[in-house]
Amino acid sequence: MSNKVDPYAAPLFADVAGDIDVSFEFFPPKTEKMEETLWESIQTLSPLGPRFVSVTYGAGGTTRERTHNTVARIARETSIPAAAHLTCVEATREEIDQVANEYWEAGVRHIVALRGDPPRAGEKYSTHPGGYENAADLVAGLRKLHPFEISVAAYPECHPDSPHAAADLDNLKAKIDAGANRAITQFFFEPETFFRFRDDAAKAGITAEIVPGIMPVMSFAAVTKMSAMCGTDVPKWMGKLFEGLDDHPAARQLVAATVAAELCRKLYAGGERAFHFYTLNRAELSYAICHLLGVRPKVLEPVAA
């Protein structure tokens, strides 16, 4: 009898060594109940030792105060590095610089610098009078204020406002050249999408780290709607996988975790060792995916209630 091990008999994630860095994105809560859910999620995910957790900033700065309060609390009450999203929308340079200075004073050392979306859906983006022109301009402005760590956005399937992929890559290179440390991608659902983008970015002279952004599917209808808005392709096979699961939330979660973890495993096989999870303020799926990828709890200071 042969002693050779059949590679296909090994568990699906046996080749993942746990040498992965993870980060998580949250949005600022609107209600007391949502605040409770957010902090439960942070408590659940913080033992995994994320590189950072980021908090989004609403269109037109609509969540400015809530974003600041959430980020400041993470910086104050946890040992996790907190990153604050900051956009160019509906504000002058002086106003944005003031927000950045307030973050620095609150102990926040990491900014996710974004152009941002128009405050009203369907409108074309335009630079605010006296404001930063775009994300590259914002990065350059932040570099003059404090030695922030700066992340920017990247779009494997091209930003909806970009005329073509080459212009989109030129914009990404401008953001990196202005002083950004890394790029985090828009979510995508097939590994080839990321690998093509990574190769194209390298050919364009972009050498900074590009972190894949992973969106676990909590609601297929919601993800389809979101994908249509940002130009992300939803493969037909995903529709088939989630079909009939609307009334079976537990089963849907199992399928969602499997799909996202398999995407990460293929990205891992292609050399990626860092992943950024869009949590939608829910911890279960991201925690399960991280576990499958070999990420285990580390000893950290407890998160304050």
Side-chain angles (χ1 to χ4, degrees):
M1 192 173 183
S2 172
N3 288 324
K4 282 186 76 176
V5 177
D6 179 359
Y8 294 101
L12 189 60
F13 294 93
D15 61 337
V16 180
D19 55 341
I20 284 169
D21 285 317
V22 296
S23 52
F24 304 107
E25 182 170 298
F26 302 101
F27 60 83
K30 292 179 182 176
T31 65
E32 199 172 306
K33 179 64 180 168
M34 289 171 75
E35 175 106 6
E36 205 175 293
T37 301
L38 168 64
W39 283 91
E40 283 173 3
S41 296
I42 291 173
Q43 284 178 320
T44 299
L45 294 169
S46 64
L48 299 180
R51 295 167 89 186
F52 62 89
V53 298
S54 66
V55 182
T56 62
Y57 196 77
T62 50
T63 66
R64 173 173 159 176
E65 191 175 331
R66 286 188 281 121
T67 298
H68 184 277
N69 291 344
T70 303
V71 175
R73 185 177 172 189
I74 293 170
R76 185 173 65 247
E77 298 181 11
T78 83
S79 57
I80 312 165
H85 286 220
L86 192 56
T87 74
C88 305
V89 181
E90 297 281 275
T92 64
R93 287 169 179 258
E94 290 74 19
E95 288 167 337
I96 292 169
D97 289 355
Q98 183 186 340
V99 174
N101 285 327
E102 287 169 2
Y103 279 131
W104 187 266
E105 286 164 17
V108 177
R109 299 292 180 263
H110 187 169
I111 298 288
V112 180
L114 308 163
R115 187 201 72 177
D117 297 320
R120 287 159 291 279
E123 285 188 354
K124 191 176 165 89
Y125 179 84
S126 62
T127 303
H128 187 74
Y132 285 107
E133 185 180 347
N134 52 32
D137 195 22
L138 174 59
V139 170
L142 291 170
R143 277 277 162 257
K144 292 173 184 173
L145 293 177
H146 301 287
F148 283 114
E149 182 176 352
I150 302 175
S151 297
V152 293
Y155 300 89
E157 293 167 273
C158 201
H159 191 283
D161 288 352
S162 291
H164 46 73
D168 206 49
L169 280 170
D170 286 345
N171 187 47
L172 175 58
K173 190 169 190 307
K175 292 188 279 190
I176 300 298
D177 290 348
N181 300 89
R182 76 179 57 77
I184 301 169
T185 77
Q186 175 69 272
F187 64 88
F188 55 92
F189 296 113
E190 297 193 294
E192 293 77 15
T193 302
F194 178 83
F195 292 138
R196 275 195 302 270
F197 179 72
R198 187 179 67 178
D199 290 347
D200 290 343
K203 286 174 191 169
I206 296 167
T207 57
E209 177 187 27
I210 300 176
V211 180
I214 307 297
M215 173 74 81
V217 178
M218 293 183 197
S219 160
F220 186 70
V223 161
T224 302
K225 183 179 177 183
M226 213 182 308
S227 297
M229 290 168 60
C230 59
T232 298
D233 180 57
V234 180
K236 286 183 180 176
W237 58 261
M238 277 186 70
K240 289 179 182 176
L241 280 181
F242 286 97
E243 190 177 357
L245 293 180
D246 289 349
D247 298 325
H248 301 278
R252 187 173 67 243
Q253 277 207 324
L254 290 170
V255 172
T258 304
V259 168
E262 176 64 0
L263 170 61
C264 292
R265 190 188 72 83
K266 288 177 178 175
L267 293 170
Y268 181 92
E272 293 307 308
R273 294 295 181 271
F275 301 99
H276 184 72
F277 292 94
Y278 298 108
T279 70
L280 301 180
N281 289 15
R282 300 279 178 174
E284 298 85 359
L285 278 175
S286 295
Y287 193 98
I289 297 159
C290 289
H291 186 89
L292 285 169
L293 296 174
V295 180
R296 296 293 184 270
K298 300 169 178 64
V299 178
L300 292 174
E301 295 172 20
V303 178

